[in-house]
Structure formats: structure tokens, C-alpha cells
Amino acid sequence: MTTTATRFDGQVLTPGDAGYDTARTVWNAMIDRRPRMIVRAASVADVVAAVRMARELDLEIGVRCGGHNAAGFAVPDGGLMIDLTPMGGVRVDPARRRARVQGGALLGALDRASQAYGMATTAGNVSHTGVGGLTLGGGMGWLARQHGLACDNVVSYTVVTAEGDVVTASRTDNPDLFWGLRGGGGNFGIVTEFEFQLHQTGTRTLVAEFDFRAEDAVPVIEGWRDLNAVAPRQATFAAGVGSTPAGPISTLGFVWVGDPAEGRLLLPAMRALGRPVASRVTTPSYLELQQREDSTGGHAYRRYSKGHYLRSFPTAAIEAFLLRGCPDLSASQDLPGVGLQAHGGAIADVPEADAAFSHRGTMFEFGAGARWTDPADDDARMSAARAAGASLEPYASGIYVNSLTADELADGQRGVRRAYSAAKLARLTAVKTAYDPANVFHLNQNIRPAQNSRPAL
């Protein structure tokens, strides 16, 4: 197929075309790159043609699903961006409890389609996140302690390879690729369809939040941590620290997916931890829960974050969590927000060797996130987030691959080695070498193929 003969079902945009700037705009406003062309794929055939065109023209390939990756991997400067967002359909088979989800679908589309039948599967915490990027990295969500990560609920993948072939990956078809796609990121191909297992979850939830002054919070968080260890799987414990005009506040609590009456049975133990300055107990629908953390600022914010996995959370780590990289609690309001979300339950039930996703023994996932609008604040805000992340690093056991930042990935393979064990990285390298030996798909949390010297970024 020659470039001049290539025809697409969807749009092809180049600089100056109407819609080009919108298509290249992603969630992090710090990303301002200009692809040579953007293929807004409307079919699997479009994806195949785009991959082959990019290889013929020797263009870097970026793949956009939801555009949430803060490093902006979807937008290759001078390269070819494959925009999957026109492929956003979801089909539910309620009898088989399965959902077929196109590669450009957002989590909200999956939630809406499955909740029509009182079903759901693990699908993040923010409805405008892309299914593809979330799931390929692993995919945490409010259902993970009950039903496993998003990647644990994938039955099969339809994949366009670096050669432009279309293959299926499942436990029986290309099982090595199936293993790698379950946590190995976008290294092995472009997923044009996911087949998910659904669960009868109902539509009801309960959210409990208790606010404490940060200076009073250490013993409260110790008690909250200990409650988490014995909590039912319907409960996902969460905590955060943020700045307010009155000083830093730590918010502790849990999200319960299921009958709210059962979730309320945890409230006496939570209230016994201490006297909060404020508390909230609400019963949103599952769809409302999935939208409550959606960003109202859209693509206007500049963003930077750091993350860790924590296998334990001792008192010294709690103190560092509250300080957010500062020597005391009197720092300015320009500090990043920090948060914790509990793992365990069904996540840890899956044998470590079963999938590329790693660190299944995690107790909490930590994140420090900053957002701002003025480019003049870039250095200060990023430095503050790095300091908050560094303060928890002594207690870290690894990192979620989707949380790796561009600067971590630029440091050779150090960042990727934090996401995977040596044995898993060796197996991932073998899968990469088999399916993408030329490292065509390298704008990601890159796993380099064997005997390949092309730089990751």
C-alpha cells in the first residue's frame, strides 16, 4: 500500500485544518506538540493503514485514547498521531455478562452501558479517562478489591501489531501477548477492542469522609490504616491531605460499592478514631460515584504528579504523608494534594506471575498531584510535587506503571524497573521482541526489545 493510495474511513488532519488543534490537545496543558498528521481512526482498517503509513514515512506513532497520560505520549511532535476517540462504542451482552469496548472509549461510556443492567467492571475513578490507557497499565478503581483490576477482567483483546496485522490475544490465543497486555502498557500494539467480564454490582454506593486537622491526624490515620486491614472487600479505604485557608486538612474514609446499609456498619469504627472537624456520608449512585472526581477544568490545567506503591504504612510514613515534603505544617497553599487508595482483596488474589502487572502485595497506592494554569509556576509546582514524592520514597516498594513521569522514563530504564521485577521485565522484553522488534511503539512507558538501541523518548 502506497501513501498516496491510502484512504481512511475517518478524518486525516494536518496543521491548519479545522479540528487539528482540538485533536492534539490533551489533559495536561503543558503538552503543546504538533504532529505532522492526525488520523482520527473510525475503524480497525484505519488503524492498520495509519500504522503502515507511519512506518513507510518513518514517523513516530502516538496513540490517543482519553489523552490522560501526563507525559503526553499520545502527541508525537512531527509524527503521526492515531486518535482512537471516534472508536468509542460499547456493546453489552447482559446474558453472558460481557462488554465489548472499542479502543477509544472513555470509562464513562463503559459505566453507562453496563449500569443499564445493574452491572459494572473495574473502571478507574474518573469517567473521562480512556479505557485503553487505564486498562493496559493495570487499572485501579472502586471495584478492584471486589473483582480485581481492570486488566484482570479482560477476557480478550483485539490488537493491531507493528506490522499492521490484526490479532486476538486471550488465554488461548497468543497467550504471551495476553500476559503482556495485562499491565505492560502500550508497548505491544494498538488495542482496538477490549472484551470485559462484567459483574452484578447493583447501582448503589456509600461514601464516608471525615476531615481532621493535619496536626491531629497521625493517631487517626494509624487507626484508619488498621481498620483497612480488616475491612470487607466492598470497602476501598481512601485518604488525602489538602490545603485550606484554615490550614492543612486530612480527609479519611472509604467508598463502599453495594448496599449502603451494609456500608454503614463501618461507620461506628470510623467515628471512634477521633473527633473530625467535619464529616460527610453520602449515597451516590454508582454512575455519580464514577464522576465525582472528574476535572471541571478540563484541558486548561498544567499537571504534574508523582506516585508510589506502599506495602506498609508505618508512623514515620504517615508523618511524611501529612508534611507533603515540607519541614512543618505551616507551608503555603501551593503544595500538591496527596492521596492514598487501598489495594488488597481481589487484587492480591491473582498470582503474581499471572500477568505483567506487578506489586500485588501493595497496601496503599500513594499519589502527589499538582495542577495550575500559569506557565511561570511550572518549576515551583513540579518541584513541590517531587519533594512530596521523595518524602515517601523510603517507604515505597515500587510504582504503578501509569504513574511514571517523563523525567523518570528519560532516566534510561530506571523508571520501568521500579514498575516491574527483574523477572517480569525480562519476560516483557521477550514479548516486546516478538511483537515489536523495531520498537515502533516506543512513545509509552517503554520496554525496549532485545538488541535494539532506539531511544525510548
Side-chain angles (χ1 to χ4, degrees):
M1 178 184 293
T2 64
T3 302
T4 56
T6 302
R7 297 292 183 268
F8 293 96
D9 297 321
Q11 291 179 292
V12 178
L13 303 174
T14 56
D17 288 344
Y20 172 85
D21 286 331
T22 299
R24 72 182 182 90
T25 301
V26 291
W27 190 57
N28 184 0
M30 295 179 73
I31 307 303
D32 184 20
R33 305 189 190 120
R34 302 182 67 82
R36 175 171 167 180
M37 66 181 70
I38 300 172
V39 175
R40 302 200 69 235
S43 63
V44 176
D46 278 359
V47 177
V48 170
V51 169
R52 291 177 176 170
M53 175 187 285
R55 297 203 66 177
E56 181 180 327
L57 297 175
D58 195 27
L59 298 177
E60 286 190 304
I61 294 174
V63 183
R64 175 175 182 156
C65 301
H68 267 233
N69 179 268
F73 291 130
V75 192
D77 215 10
L80 191 152
M81 175 178 171
I82 301 176
D83 182 0
L84 297 179
T85 55
M87 300 173 62
V90 178
R91 292 178 289 124
V92 172
D93 182 341
R96 297 178 65 233
R97 296 188 180 183
R98 297 284 174 85
R100 288 192 172 273
V101 182
Q102 288 187 298
L106 301 183
L107 299 181
L110 172 57
D111 289 335
R112 290 188 296 273
S114 54
Q115 278 285 281
Y117 303 97
M119 298 179 186
T121 196
T122 305
N125 302 344
V126 176
S127 72
H128 48 77
T129 303
V131 170
L134 177 104
T135 304
L136 290 172
M140 184 56 184
W142 299 123
L143 287 171
R145 282 174 44 82
Q146 292 187 64
H147 301 298
L149 299 164
C151 71
D152 297 329
N153 287 280
V154 178
V155 179
S156 68
Y157 304 82
T158 302
V159 186
V160 175
T161 70
E163 294 298 321
D165 298 325
V166 181
V167 302
T168 298
S170 68
R171 289 196 181 274
T172 55
D173 297 318
N174 300 301
D176 56 338
L177 179 59
F178 181 73
W179 179 90
L181 290 168
R182 293 176 59 216
N187 278 282
F188 313 111
I190 300 174
V191 178
T192 58
E193 185 176 77
F194 300 81
E195 181 185 9
F196 283 99
Q197 179 69 53
L198 298 177
H199 306 276
Q200 198 71 51
T201 58
T203 62
R204 304 168 69 196
T205 77
L206 180 140
V207 178
E209 298 173 304
F210 300 85
D211 296 341
F212 296 87
R213 295 186 305 170
E215 57 263 38
D216 302 328
V218 169
V220 179
I221 298 177
E222 289 174 327
W224 170 87
R225 172 202 62 200
D226 296 343
L227 280 178
N228 170 74
V230 296
R233 293 185 175 198
Q234 294 96 321
T236 301
F237 276 41
V241 182
S243 301
T244 75
I249 291 291
S250 179
T251 300
L252 312 173
F254 64 90
V255 170
W256 181 278
V257 180
D259 184 349
E262 296 180 12
R264 290 183 186 278
L265 298 177
L266 275 177
L267 294 177
M270 289 293 302
R271 289 180 172 131
L273 296 176
R275 181 174 294 180
V277 296
S279 64
R280 298 164 296 283
V281 178
T282 58
T283 55
S285 70
Y286 182 76
L287 288 179
E288 291 169 339
L289 171 69
Q290 289 291 88
Q291 297 172 40
R292 71 193 294 266
E293 295 184 20
D294 286 5
S295 171
T296 57
H299 298 148
Y301 287 112
R302 307 171 76 80
R303 301 175 188 271
Y304 187 82
S305 61
K306 301 292 283 187
H308 300 298
Y309 281 142
L310 308 174
R311 292 183 66 92
S312 62
F313 198 44
T315 299
I318 293 172
E319 293 169 346
F321 175 68
L322 291 166
L323 288 169
R324 295 182 285 170
C326 292
D328 56 54
L329 292 172
S330 64
S332 76
Q333 296 189 45
D334 290 336
L335 293 177
V338 297
L340 299 169
Q341 188 170 8
H343 281 224
I347 303 170
D349 289 344
V350 177
E352 185 69 34
D354 191 65
F357 180 84
S358 302
H359 304 292
R360 289 186 181 271
T362 293
M363 175 187 289
F364 296 114
E365 181 181 356
F366 163 83
R371 66 180 194 180
W372 65 100
T373 56
D374 188 347
D377 294 335
D378 286 358
D379 289 345
R381 292 303 187 98
M382 293 169 69
S383 294
R386 289 185 184 119
S391 71
L392 268 293
E393 191 161 353
Y395 313 100
S397 55
I399 190 170
Y400 179 32
V401 69
N402 281 354
S403 295
L404 286 168
T405 59
D407 45 355
E408 288 171 314
L409 291 165
D411 184 16
Q413 293 281 278
R414 178 180 176 274
V416 173
R417 285 195 294 268
R418 288 193 64 215
Y420 306 106
S421 67
K424 282 199 176 182
L425 189 54
R427 186 172 175 184
L428 284 162
T429 300
V431 178
K432 179 72 170 179
T433 304
Y435 287 92
D436 185 15
N439 208 10
V440 171
F441 302 118
H442 63 271
L443 292 180
N444 47 45
Q445 298 86 349
N446 194 232
I447 295 161
R448 297 176 186 172
Q451 305 303 316
N452 187 280
S453 59
R454 184 170 188 170
L457 289 171

Coordinates of all heavy atoms in Angstrom, one line a residue, residues 9-80:
D9 N -11.5 5.8 6.6 CA -12.9 6.0 6.9 C -13.1 7.2 7.7 O -14.1 7.9 7.7 CB -13.4 4.7 7.6 CG -13.4 3.5 6.8 OD1 -13.6 3.5 5.6 OD2 -13.1 2.4 7.4
G10 N -12.1 7.5 8.6 CA -12.2 8.7 9.4 C -11.4 9.9 8.8 O -11.0 9.8 7.7
Q11 N -11.2 10.9 9.6 CA -10.5 12.1 9.2 C -9.0 12.0 9.2 O -8.5 11.3 10.1 CB -10.9 13.3 10.1 CG -12.4 13.8 9.9 CD -12.6 14.9 10.9 OE1 -12.6 14.8 12.1 NE2 -12.8 16.1 10.4
V12 N -8.4 12.7 8.3 CA -6.9 12.9 8.4 C -6.7 14.4 8.5 O -7.2 15.2 7.7 CB -6.2 12.4 7.2 CG1 -4.7 12.7 7.3 CG2 -6.4 10.9 7.1
L13 N -6.1 14.9 9.6 CA -5.9 16.3 9.9 C -4.4 16.6 9.9 O -3.6 15.9 10.3 CB -6.4 16.6 11.3 CG -7.9 16.3 11.6 CD1 -8.3 16.6 13.1 CD2 -8.8 17.1 10.7
T14 N -4.1 17.8 9.3 CA -2.8 18.3 9.3 C -2.8 19.7 9.8 O -3.9 20.3 9.9 CB -2.2 18.3 7.8 OG1 -3.1 19.0 7.0 CG2 -2.0 16.8 7.3
P15 N -1.6 20.3 10.1 CA -1.6 21.7 10.7 C -2.4 22.6 9.8 O -2.2 22.7 8.6 CB -0.1 22.0 10.7 CG 0.5 20.7 10.9 CD -0.3 19.7 10.1
G16 N -3.2 23.4 10.4 CA -4.1 24.4 9.7 C -5.5 23.9 9.5 O -6.4 24.7 9.2
D17 N -5.7 22.6 9.5 CA -7.0 22.1 9.3 C -7.9 22.4 10.5 O -7.5 22.4 11.7 CB -7.0 20.6 9.1 CG -6.4 20.2 7.8 OD1 -6.3 21.0 6.9 OD2 -6.1 19.0 7.6
A18 N -9.2 22.6 10.2 CA -10.2 22.7 11.3 C -10.2 21.4 12.1 O -10.3 20.4 11.6 CB -11.6 23.0 10.7
G19 N -10.2 21.6 13.4 CA -10.2 20.4 14.3 C -8.8 19.9 14.7 O -8.7 19.1 15.6
Y20 N -7.8 20.4 14.0 CA -6.4 19.9 14.3 C -6.0 20.2 15.7 O -5.5 19.4 16.5 CB -5.4 20.4 13.3 CG -4.0 20.2 13.6 CD1 -3.4 19.0 13.2 CD2 -3.2 21.1 14.2 CE1 -2.0 18.7 13.4 CE2 -1.8 20.9 14.5 CZ -1.3 19.7 14.1 OH 0.1 19.4 14.4
D21 N -6.1 21.5 16.1 CA -5.7 21.9 17.4 C -6.5 21.2 18.5 O -5.9 20.9 19.6 CB -5.8 23.4 17.6 CG -4.6 24.1 16.8 OD1 -3.6 23.5 16.6 OD2 -4.9 25.3 16.3
T22 N -7.8 21.0 18.3 CA -8.6 20.3 19.3 C -8.1 18.9 19.4 O -8.0 18.4 20.6 CB -10.1 20.3 18.9 OG1 -10.5 21.7 18.8 CG2 -10.9 19.6 19.9
A23 N -7.8 18.2 18.3 CA -7.4 16.8 18.4 C -6.1 16.6 19.1 O -5.8 15.6 19.7 CB -7.4 16.3 17.0
R24 N -5.2 17.6 19.0 CA -3.8 17.5 19.6 C -3.8 18.0 21.0 O -2.7 17.9 21.7 CB -2.8 18.2 18.7 CG -2.8 19.7 18.8 CD -1.8 20.4 17.9 NE -1.8 21.8 18.1 CZ -1.1 22.5 18.9 NH1 -0.3 21.9 19.8 NH2 -1.2 23.9 19.0
T25 N -4.9 18.5 21.5 CA -4.9 19.0 22.9 C -5.3 17.8 23.8 O -6.3 17.1 23.7 CB -6.0 20.1 23.0 OG1 -5.6 21.2 22.1 CG2 -6.0 20.6 24.4
V26 N -4.5 17.6 24.8 CA -4.7 16.6 25.8 C -4.9 17.1 27.2 O -4.9 18.3 27.4 CB -3.5 15.5 25.8 CG1 -3.6 14.8 24.5 CG2 -2.2 16.2 26.0
W27 N -5.0 16.2 28.2 CA -5.5 16.6 29.5 C -4.5 17.5 30.2 O -4.8 18.4 31.0 CB -5.6 15.3 30.3 CG -6.3 15.4 31.6 CD1 -7.5 16.0 32.0 CD2 -5.7 14.9 32.9 NE1 -7.7 15.8 33.3 CE2 -6.6 15.2 33.9 CE3 -4.5 14.3 33.2 CZ2 -6.4 14.9 35.2 CZ3 -4.3 13.9 34.5 CH2 -5.3 14.2 35.5
N28 N -3.2 17.4 29.9 CA -2.1 18.2 30.5 C -1.8 19.3 29.6 O -1.2 19.2 28.5 CB -0.9 17.3 30.8 CG 0.2 18.1 31.5 OD1 0.1 19.3 31.8 ND2 1.3 17.4 31.8
A29 N -2.1 20.6 30.0 CA -1.9 21.7 29.2 C -0.4 22.1 29.0 O -0.1 22.9 28.2 CB -2.6 23.0 29.8
M30 N 0.5 21.4 29.7 CA 1.9 21.6 29.4 C 2.3 20.9 28.1 O 3.4 21.3 27.5 CB 2.7 20.9 30.5 CG 2.6 21.6 31.9 SD 3.5 20.8 33.2 CE 5.2 21.4 32.8
I31 N 1.5 20.1 27.5 CA 1.8 19.4 26.3 C 1.3 20.2 25.1 O 0.1 20.4 25.0 CB 1.2 18.0 26.3 CG1 1.6 17.2 27.5 CG2 1.6 17.2 25.0 CD1 3.1 17.0 27.7
D32 N 2.3 20.7 24.3 CA 1.9 21.6 23.2 C 2.8 21.1 22.0 O 3.7 21.8 21.5 CB 2.1 23.0 23.5 CG 1.7 24.0 22.4 OD1 0.9 23.5 21.5 OD2 2.2 25.1 22.3
R33 N 2.5 19.9 21.5 CA 3.2 19.4 20.4 C 2.4 19.4 19.1 O 1.1 19.4 19.2 CB 3.7 18.0 20.7 CG 4.5 17.9 22.0 CD 5.1 16.5 22.2 NE 5.7 16.4 23.6 CZ 5.3 15.5 24.4 NH1 4.4 14.6 24.1 NH2 5.8 15.4 25.6
R34 N 3.0 19.3 18.0 CA 2.4 19.4 16.7 C 2.7 18.2 15.8 O 3.7 18.2 15.2 CB 2.7 20.7 16.0 CG 2.4 22.0 16.8 CD 2.7 23.3 16.1 NE 1.9 23.5 14.9 CZ 0.7 24.0 15.0 NH1 0.1 24.4 16.2 NH2 0.0 24.1 13.9
P35 N 1.8 17.2 15.8 CA 2.1 16.1 14.9 C 2.0 16.5 13.4 O 1.4 17.5 13.0 CB 0.9 15.2 15.2 CG 0.3 15.6 16.5 CD 0.6 17.1 16.6
R36 N 2.8 15.8 12.6 CA 2.7 16.1 11.2 C 1.3 15.8 10.6 O 0.8 16.5 9.7 CB 3.7 15.2 10.4 CG 3.7 15.3 8.9 CD 4.9 14.6 8.3 NE 4.7 14.4 6.9 CZ 5.6 13.8 6.1 NH1 6.8 13.3 6.6 NH2 5.4 13.7 4.8
M37 N 0.7 14.7 11.2 CA -0.7 14.4 10.8 C -1.4 13.7 11.9 O -0.7 13.0 12.7 CB -0.8 13.6 9.5 CG -0.2 12.2 9.6 SD -0.3 11.4 8.0 CE 0.9 12.3 7.0
I38 N -2.7 13.8 11.9 CA -3.5 13.1 12.9 C -4.5 12.3 12.2 O -5.3 12.8 11.4 CB -4.2 14.1 13.9 CG1 -3.2 15.0 14.6 CG2 -5.2 13.4 14.8 CD1 -3.8 16.1 15.5
V39 N -4.5 11.0 12.4 CA -5.5 10.1 11.8 C -6.6 9.8 12.9 O -6.3 9.2 13.9 CB -4.9 8.8 11.3 CG1 -6.0 7.9 10.8 CG2 -3.9 9.1 10.2
R40 N -7.8 10.4 12.7 CA -8.9 10.1 13.6 C -9.6 8.8 13.1 O -10.5 8.8 12.3 CB -9.8 11.3 13.6 CG -9.1 12.6 14.0 CD -10.1 13.7 14.6 NE -10.7 13.3 15.9 CZ -12.0 13.2 16.1 NH1 -12.9 13.4 15.2 NH2 -12.4 12.8 17.3
A41 N -9.1 7.7 13.7 CA -9.5 6.4 13.2 C -11.0 6.1 13.5 O -11.4 6.3 14.6 CB -8.6 5.3 13.8
A42 N -11.7 5.7 12.4 CA -13.1 5.3 12.6 C -13.3 3.8 12.4 O -14.4 3.3 12.6 CB -13.9 6.0 11.5
S43 N -12.2 3.0 12.2 CA -12.3 1.6 12.0 C -11.0 0.9 12.3 O -9.9 1.6 12.3 CB -12.7 1.3 10.6 OG -11.8 1.7 9.6
V44 N -11.0 -0.4 12.4 CA -9.7 -1.1 12.6 C -8.9 -1.0 11.3 O -7.7 -0.8 11.4 CB -10.0 -2.6 12.9 CG1 -8.7 -3.4 12.9 CG2 -10.8 -2.8 14.2
A45 N -9.5 -0.9 10.2 CA -8.8 -0.7 8.9 C -8.0 0.6 8.9 O -6.9 0.7 8.4 CB -9.7 -0.8 7.7
D46 N -8.6 1.6 9.5 CA -7.9 2.9 9.6 C -6.7 2.8 10.5 O -5.6 3.4 10.2 CB -8.9 4.0 10.3 CG -9.8 4.6 9.3 OD1 -9.8 4.2 8.1 OD2 -10.6 5.4 9.7
V47 N -6.8 2.1 11.6 CA -5.6 1.9 12.5 C -4.5 1.1 11.7 O -3.3 1.5 11.8 CB -6.0 1.2 13.8 CG1 -4.8 0.9 14.6 CG2 -7.1 2.0 14.5
V48 N -4.9 0.1 11.0 CA -3.9 -0.7 10.2 C -3.2 0.2 9.2 O -2.0 0.3 9.1 CB -4.6 -1.9 9.5 CG1 -3.6 -2.5 8.5 CG2 -5.1 -2.9 10.6
A49 N -4.0 1.0 8.5 CA -3.5 1.9 7.4 C -2.6 2.9 8.0 O -1.5 3.3 7.5 CB -4.6 2.5 6.6
A50 N -2.9 3.5 9.2 CA -2.1 4.5 9.8 C -0.8 4.0 10.3 O 0.2 4.6 10.1 CB -2.9 5.1 11.0
V51 N -0.8 2.8 10.9 CA 0.5 2.2 11.3 C 1.4 2.0 10.1 O 2.6 2.3 10.1 CB 0.2 0.8 12.0 CG1 1.5 0.1 12.3 CG2 -0.5 1.1 13.4
R52 N 0.8 1.4 9.0 CA 1.7 1.2 7.9 C 2.2 2.5 7.2 O 3.3 2.6 6.8 CB 0.8 0.3 6.8 CG 0.6 -1.1 7.3 CD -0.3 -1.9 6.4 NE -0.4 -3.3 6.8 CZ -1.2 -4.1 6.3 NH1 -2.0 -3.8 5.3 NH2 -1.3 -5.4 6.8
M53 N 1.3 3.5 7.2 CA 1.7 4.8 6.7 C 2.9 5.4 7.5 O 3.9 5.9 7.0 CB 0.6 5.8 6.6 CG 1.0 7.2 6.2 SD -0.4 8.4 6.3 CE -1.4 7.9 4.9
A54 N 2.7 5.3 8.8 CA 3.8 5.9 9.7 C 5.1 5.2 9.5 O 6.1 5.8 9.4 CB 3.3 5.8 11.2
R55 N 5.0 3.9 9.3 CA 6.3 3.1 9.1 C 6.9 3.5 7.7 O 8.1 3.6 7.6 CB 6.0 1.6 9.2 CG 5.6 1.2 10.6 CD 5.8 -0.2 10.9 NE 7.3 -0.5 11.0 CZ 7.8 -1.7 11.3 NH1 7.0 -2.7 11.5 NH2 9.1 -1.9 11.3
E56 N 6.0 3.6 6.7 CA 6.5 4.0 5.4 C 7.2 5.3 5.4 O 8.2 5.6 4.7 CB 5.4 4.0 4.4 CG 5.7 4.3 3.0 CD 4.5 4.3 2.1 OE1 3.6 3.5 2.3 OE2 4.5 5.1 1.1
L57 N 6.6 6.3 6.2 CA 7.2 7.6 6.2 C 8.2 7.8 7.3 O 8.7 8.9 7.5 CB 6.0 8.6 6.4 CG 5.0 8.7 5.3 CD1 3.8 9.6 5.6 CD2 5.6 9.1 4.0
D58 N 8.4 6.8 8.1 CA 9.4 6.8 9.2 C 9.0 7.9 10.2 O 9.8 8.7 10.7 CB 10.8 7.1 8.7 CG 11.9 6.8 9.8 OD1 11.5 5.9 10.7 OD2 12.9 7.4 9.8
L59 N 7.7 7.9 10.6 CA 7.1 8.8 11.6 C 6.9 8.1 12.9 O 6.4 7.0 12.9 CB 5.8 9.4 11.1 CG 5.9 10.2 9.8 CD1 4.5 10.7 9.4 CD2 6.8 11.4 9.9
E60 N 7.2 8.8 14.0 CA 6.9 8.3 15.3 C 5.4 8.2 15.4 O 4.6 9.0 14.9 CB 7.4 9.2 16.4 CG 8.9 9.1 16.6 CD 9.3 9.9 17.9 OE1 8.9 11.1 18.0 OE2 9.9 9.3 18.8
I61 N 4.9 7.1 16.1 CA 3.5 6.9 16.3 C 3.1 7.2 17.8 O 3.7 6.7 18.7 CB 3.1 5.4 16.0 CG1 3.3 5.1 14.5 CG2 1.6 5.2 16.4 CD1 3.1 3.7 14.2
G62 N 2.1 8.1 17.9 CA 1.5 8.3 19.2 C 0.0 7.8 19.1 O -0.6 8.0 18.1
V63 N -0.5 7.3 20.2 CA -1.9 6.7 20.2 C -2.7 7.4 21.3 O -2.3 7.4 22.5 CB -1.9 5.2 20.5 CG1 -3.3 4.7 20.4 CG2 -1.0 4.5 19.4
R64 N -3.8 8.0 20.9 CA -4.7 8.7 21.8 C -5.9 7.9 22.1 O -6.6 7.5 21.2 CB -5.1 10.1 21.3 CG -6.1 10.8 22.2 CD -6.4 12.2 21.8 NE -7.3 12.7 22.8 CZ -7.5 14.0 23.0 NH1 -6.8 14.9 22.3 NH2 -8.3 14.5 23.9
C65 N -6.2 7.7 23.4 CA -7.5 7.2 23.8 C -8.2 8.3 24.5 O -8.9 9.1 23.9 CB -7.3 5.9 24.7 SG -6.4 4.6 23.9
G66 N -7.9 8.4 25.9 CA -8.5 9.5 26.6 C -7.6 10.7 26.7 O -8.0 11.8 27.1
G67 N -6.3 10.6 26.4 CA -5.4 11.7 26.4 C -5.0 12.1 27.9 O -4.5 13.2 28.1
H68 N -5.1 11.1 28.8 CA -4.9 11.5 30.2 C -3.4 11.3 30.7 O -3.1 11.8 31.7 CB -5.8 10.7 31.1 CG -7.0 11.4 31.5 ND1 -7.5 11.5 32.8 CD2 -8.0 11.9 30.7 CE1 -8.6 12.2 32.8 NE2 -9.0 12.4 31.5
N69 N -2.6 10.6 29.9 CA -1.2 10.5 30.3 C -0.5 11.8 30.4 O -0.5 12.6 29.4 CB -0.5 9.6 29.3 CG 1.0 9.4 29.7 OD1 1.8 10.2 29.3 ND2 1.2 8.4 30.6
A70 N 0.0 12.1 31.6 CA 0.5 13.5 31.9 C 1.8 13.8 31.0 O 2.1 14.9 30.8 CB 0.8 13.6 33.3
A71 N 2.5 12.7 30.6 CA 3.7 12.9 29.8 C 3.3 13.2 28.3 O 4.2 13.6 27.5 CB 4.6 11.7 29.8
G72 N 2.1 13.1 27.9 CA 1.6 13.4 26.6 C 2.1 12.5 25.5 O 2.3 12.9 24.4
F73 N 2.2 11.2 25.8 CA 2.7 10.3 24.8 C 1.9 10.2 23.6 O 2.3 9.8 22.5 CB 2.8 8.9 25.4 CG 3.9 8.7 26.5 CD1 3.6 8.1 27.7 CD2 5.2 9.1 26.3 CE1 4.6 8.0 28.7 CE2 6.2 9.0 27.2 CZ 5.8 8.4 28.4
A74 N 0.6 10.6 23.7 CA -0.3 10.5 22.6 C 0.1 11.5 21.4 O -0.4 11.3 20.3 CB -1.7 10.7 23.0
V75 N 0.8 12.5 21.7 CA 1.0 13.6 20.8 C 2.5 13.6 20.4 O 3.3 14.2 21.0 CB 0.6 14.9 21.4 CG1 0.6 16.0 20.3 CG2 -0.7 14.9 22.1
P76 N 2.8 13.0 19.2 CA 4.2 13.0 18.8 C 4.6 14.2 18.0 O 3.9 14.5 17.0 CB 4.3 11.7 17.9 CG 2.9 11.6 17.3 CD 2.0 12.2 18.4
D77 N 5.6 15.0 18.4 CA 6.0 16.2 17.7 C 6.5 15.8 16.3 O 7.5 15.1 16.2 CB 7.0 16.9 18.5 CG 6.9 18.5 18.4 OD1 5.9 18.9 17.8 OD2 7.8 19.2 18.9
G78 N 5.8 16.2 15.3 CA 6.3 15.9 13.9 C 6.0 14.5 13.5 O 6.4 14.1 12.4
G79 N 5.3 13.7 14.3 CA 4.9 12.4 14.0 C 3.5 12.2 13.6 O 2.8 13.1 13.2
L80 N 3.1 10.9 13.6 CA 1.7 10.6 13.3 C 0.9 10.2 14.5 O 1.3 9.2 15.2 CB 1.7 9.4 12.2 CG 0.3 9.2 11.6 CD1 0.5 8.6 10.2 CD2 -0.6 8.2 12.4

